[in-house]
Amino acid sequence: CHLIHYLRLSHHLIVLNYLICTFDKLKSVSSEDIKITDAVFDGVEVRVFEPPAKGDESLKRSVVYIHGGGWALASARTSLYNNLCRIMAESLNAVVVSVEYRLVPEVCFPEQYHDALRATKHFLQPEVLAEYSVDPSRIAISGDSAGGNLAAAVCQQLSKEEDLAVRPKLQALIYPVLQAFDFNTPSYQQNMNMPVLPRYVMVNYWIDYINGDYGLAHELLVNNHTALNVGRALSFRARLNWTSLLPPSFKKSYKPVVQATGTAAIVERLPALLDVRAVPLLADDATLARQPRTYVLTCENDVLRDDGAMYARRLERAGVPVTLDHFHDCFHGCMIFTVWPTDFSAGVKTRDSYIKWLDENL
């Protein structure tokens, strides 16, 4: 059984890597005069996209962008993300910093989180912002999928640091992965076999990220790690009770999967399952209340739909202004597919909506 899980995941990763490498050979989308430089921020590689200076302005707004890929794939330098960041820099007339954090299997949690946090904190230093002519009051932190996870975790940590001179104005999360507590939310049940990100693949991404064992995949899939007899999980249950956090159109007729007895040893072996740096949806209300104005993009055909919707609802309850931008006919990962031969209407539609929100709020 373990071998089958491994082979299935390996096949999925091989296909995704092939697609990424194929797209990387394509020409970048033309963006007028965008200056692209590679730099190192506190030991972390980044790619910086700078639009040309205009005579009637002094400082630009900025976006720190953290790419997706299950903490294991893609790069700030691949054409898919290079194109996205170029278009963002041009459309917003903003400096975009794309973080090249280290990936599985080179490192596991919490190193990806530490890389994203270090690079962001370095950029937020007043002298660094001045070097790039960035307005310190107009900075967003953003990311998609696993990058949305890292963006949310970084924002939460920044909100706790009292001596920080500059704080982000916004966070923008694109179909973020935010929890490993419940793999049977309505969207996980509805989309368990949906292409691009089937449920078993997401579970295995989590196992790789937190340095676990594929042999635990089935236990996680049936929520044995958060059963009612797992004491460490009890205090978190209300923080992602989807029966009270999701709208009826998301809940549909699905039922919660809550085991009476499970395997408490899983959480003991893998404490990251309940670590808010890995699972931002488990943060307490006080932390959520300190978050900046937030944008969350979700797609109907995505196991992660409910992660984003629950986070948006909890932030809203904590008093944070939130925009939940839901797309009924779109799928996980679609926003980066805007270049031939995968110039999907779903990609263009979601990307344009995301950039429009940033333009109106940043």
Side-chain angles (χ1 to χ4, degrees):
C1 183
H2 300 177
L3 179 60
I4 292 172
H5 272 295
Y6 177 77
L7 291 174
R8 291 171 80 192
L9 183 64
S10 295
H11 174 72
H12 181 83
L13 293 178
I14 288 168
V15 170
L16 283 179
N17 267 321
Y18 172 77
L19 289 173
I20 289 169
C21 291
T22 299
F23 295 142
D24 207 35
K25 296 173 183 175
L26 302 174
K27 284 188 175 182
S28 294
V29 172
S30 176
S31 295
E32 182 182 352
D33 295 332
I34 299 297
K35 178 185 175 185
I36 302 176
T37 55
D38 292 325
V40 177
F41 286 1
D42 192 15
V44 180
E45 295 180 10
V46 298
R47 174 160 283 193
V48 184
F49 300 76
E50 298 175 81
K54 295 181 179 178
D56 59 345
E57 68 177 5
S58 55
L59 298 177
K60 288 183 168 60
R61 47 194 179 175
S62 182
V63 180
V64 175
Y65 195 85
I66 308 173
H67 71 79
W71 306 283
L73 297 172
S75 163
R77 298 186 179 96
T78 58
S79 64
L80 294 173
Y81 285 105
N82 205 64
N83 288 336
L84 173 62
C85 291
R86 285 172 67 105
I87 291 168
M88 288 168 59
E90 183 177 42
S91 301
L92 298 169
N93 190 35
V95 175
V96 177
V97 175
S98 188
V99 181
E100 184 79 328
Y101 58 93
R102 292 169 294 165
L103 302 173
V104 169
E106 179 190 353
V107 297
C108 299
F109 175 81
E111 296 311 314
Q112 286 88 340
Y113 161 78
H114 286 317
D115 285 357
L117 180 62
R118 284 204 313 274
T120 303
K121 288 181 68 174
H122 178 89
F123 182 63
L124 291 179
Q125 295 177 101
E127 61 271 24
V128 178
L129 296 176
E131 178 185 343
Y132 289 99
S133 298
V134 168
D135 184 341
S137 67
R138 304 178 74 191
I139 300 168
I141 297 180
S142 184
D144 65 294
S145 194
N149 167 284
L150 296 170
V154 165
C155 261
Q156 289 185 8
Q157 180 57 34
L158 294 177
S159 75
K160 299 174 184 177
E161 302 199 4
E162 297 180 2
D163 59 347
L164 209 61
V166 178
R167 300 182 184 278
K169 180 182 182 182
L170 309 171
Q171 68 173 338
L173 312 176
I174 314 303
Y175 31 75
V177 47
L178 297 170
Q179 60 89 25
F181 190 98
D182 184 358
F183 290 107
N184 290 275
T185 62
S187 61
Y188 264 115
Q189 294 187 55
Q190 173 184 313
N191 299 298
M192 67 171 63
N193 295 313
M194 187 63 63
V196 181
L197 190 64
R199 181 172 64 164
Y200 78 90
V201 170
M202 190 63 246
V203 168
N204 282 315
Y205 275 144
W206 269 113
I207 289 172
D208 282 338
Y209 183 42
I210 60 178
N211 200 22
D213 180 342
Y214 289 140
L216 297 174
H218 176 71
E219 301 239 39
L220 296 176
L221 282 168
V222 298
N223 289 346
N224 274 350
H225 61 305
T226 53
L228 295 177
N229 70 322
V230 180
R232 289 187 57 194
L234 284 177
S235 61
F236 293 106
R237 187 167 297 281
R239 298 181 188 179
L240 43 69
N241 176 11
W242 60 258
T243 63
S244 67
L245 292 171
L246 295 178
S249 60
F250 283 21
K251 288 188 286 189
K252 300 180 174 68
S253 59
Y254 293 103
K255 305 298 182 187
V257 176
V258 181
Q259 306 294 352
T261 58
T263 311
I266 298 175
V267 174
E268 299 303 322
R269 289 169 57 188
L270 301 174
L273 287 168
L274 300 179
D275 188 325
V276 294
R277 298 174 302 168
V279 284
L281 188 53
L282 295 186
D284 58 35
D285 290 341
T287 298
L288 296 186
R290 293 192 295 265
Q291 300 313 296
R293 179 182 293 271
T294 299
Y295 171 89
V296 181
L297 187 152
T298 56
C299 295
E300 182 67 20
N301 305 306
D302 182 5
V303 292
L304 300 179
R305 180 199 67 193
D306 296 345
D307 284 25
M310 287 191 288
Y311 197 53
R313 184 65 178 135
R314 286 200 63 210
L315 287 168
E316 193 175 57
R317 287 182 178 178
V320 177
V322 178
T323 297
L324 177 61
D325 199 6
H326 181 63
F327 290 83
H328 294 278
D329 56 350
C330 294
F331 57 93
H332 186 81
C334 64
M335 201 176 78
I336 58 174
F337 296 114
T338 60
V339 180
W340 185 92
T342 58
D343 47 342
F344 300 141
S345 61
V348 175
K349 183 165 54 176
T350 51
R351 184 197 66 198
D352 289 353
S353 188
Y354 160 69
I355 290 177
K356 182 175 184 287
W357 185 88
L358 285 174
D359 192 34
E360 293 173 349
N361 292 277
L362 187 55

